[in-house]
Each structure stands twice: as structure tokens, then as C-alpha cells.
């Protein structure tokens, strides 16, 4: 089994499929990225994909397709994408081990690049089990 940059929950996969179904025949999935902005320094971006970029990483779950921008890969390694609905908001959420802090409103985060040496050690340990 290959290593996925990011994973998504069943709830996130269901929402991605709903977005694609409601967006017309050209929609194929969504693209997740990172941009500079917000009070903590970085924000997650989510865009509709009609034409996949061959350089993007692709994750799939139950037919839901999420592409990941190459510039975001080091910041998203090990991240789990979810979708939540609360009384105040609904949207995708990210449980990211590379997040070092977040702003008070939760709209922006501070991220560090993933520690590739630590990830390699973790994969070795998991392979031995």
C-alpha cells in the first residue's frame, strides 16, 4: 500500500461527492492547497476541479477525489480532512500534525513543513508490526 499525503473521513468523502454532483458534469473533485493569509499566517484553500493537474497528488475514498497542490504537500503530510456541521458553521476541517498554532477564530493556522525523517521512522516502525 502506498503512502497517502492526506486522508479523509467518510463524512468528508460524502461532502466531496455532493459538491461534485451539484457542480455539473465538468466537476471531477476538489483541490486542497495552502496560501499565505489570515492572522496566523496560512489558510487552507479548497477549489473545484474540472481539469486535474498532473502534478497534483490524488487521494480517493469511496469515489470522492481530492487533489493536493504540490506546494502544499509538505504542509499536509499526515493530515486528516473531515467535514463538520455545527450550529454556527459547516465546512471542511483539517487535523494536521504540522500545525503549530491557530488564530482565535480558527480560520487561519501556522504550519511547519513535515519532518520527513520522523515520518520515515514511523513507517518503518509500522512495517515491523
Amino acid at each position: 500500500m502506498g503512502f497517502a499525503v492526506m486522508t479523509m473521513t467518510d463524512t468528508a468523502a460524502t461532502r466531496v461527492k455532493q459538491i461534485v454532483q451539484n457542480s455539473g458534469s465538468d466537476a471531477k473533485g476538489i483541490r486542497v492547497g495552502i496560501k499565505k493569509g489570515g492572522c496566523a499566517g496560512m489558510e487552507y484553500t479548497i477549489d473545484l476541479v474540472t481539469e486535474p493537474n498532473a502534478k497534483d497528488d490524488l487521494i480517493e475514498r469511496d469515489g470522492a477525489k481530492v487533489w493536493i497542490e504540490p506546494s502544499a504537500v509538505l504542509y499536509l503530510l499526515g493530515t486528516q480532512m473531515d467535514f463538520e456541521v455545527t450550529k454556527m458553521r459547516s465546512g471542511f476541517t483539517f487535523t494536521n500534525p504540522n500545525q503549530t498554532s491557530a488564530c482565535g477564530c480558527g480560520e487561519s493556522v501556522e504550519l511547519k513543513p513535515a519532518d520527513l525523517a520522523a515520518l520515515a521512522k514511523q513507517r518503518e516502525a509500522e512495517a515491523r508490526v
Side-chain angles (χ1 to χ4, degrees):
M1 179 176 161
F3 180 75
V5 172
M6 189 172 77
T7 60
M8 70 178 120
T9 64
D10 287 336
T11 307
T14 297
R15 182 62 182 138
V16 169
K17 289 189 287 188
Q18 289 170 343
I19 290 169
V20 170
Q21 290 169 356
N22 294 333
S23 297
S25 61
D26 289 344
K28 298 191 177 14
I30 63 170
R31 178 177 287 116
V32 174
I34 301 288
K35 71 175 184 175
K36 291 185 181 200
C39 39
M42 299 180 112
E43 297 173 327
Y44 295 101
T45 62
I46 298 176
D47 298 299
L48 189 65
V49 172
T50 56
E51 189 62 40
N53 182 337
K55 294 181 181 180
D56 288 351
D57 279 89
L58 171 64
I59 63 167
E60 292 184 71
R61 181 173 185 146
D62 300 328
K65 295 182 180 185
V66 175
W67 283 270
I68 302 164
E69 294 179 1
S71 60
V73 167
L74 275 178
Y75 296 99
L76 294 175
L77 281 171
T79 297
Q80 181 181 61
M81 184 174 92
D82 196 5
F83 184 80
E84 71 175 10
V85 177
T86 68
K87 289 182 180 182
M88 299 300 287
R89 69 176 288 278
S90 65
F92 290 103
T93 61
F94 299 89
T95 303
N96 188 336
N98 307 304
Q99 180 177 318
T100 56
S101 67
C103 68
C105 66
E107 294 298 318
S108 65
V109 293
E110 183 177 344
L111 301 172
K112 63 177 176 59
D115 182 344
L116 297 179
L119 281 172
K121 285 181 184 178
Q122 178 182 353
R123 287 190 73 196
E124 287 174 16
E126 289 171 355
R128 282 180 266 187
V129 173

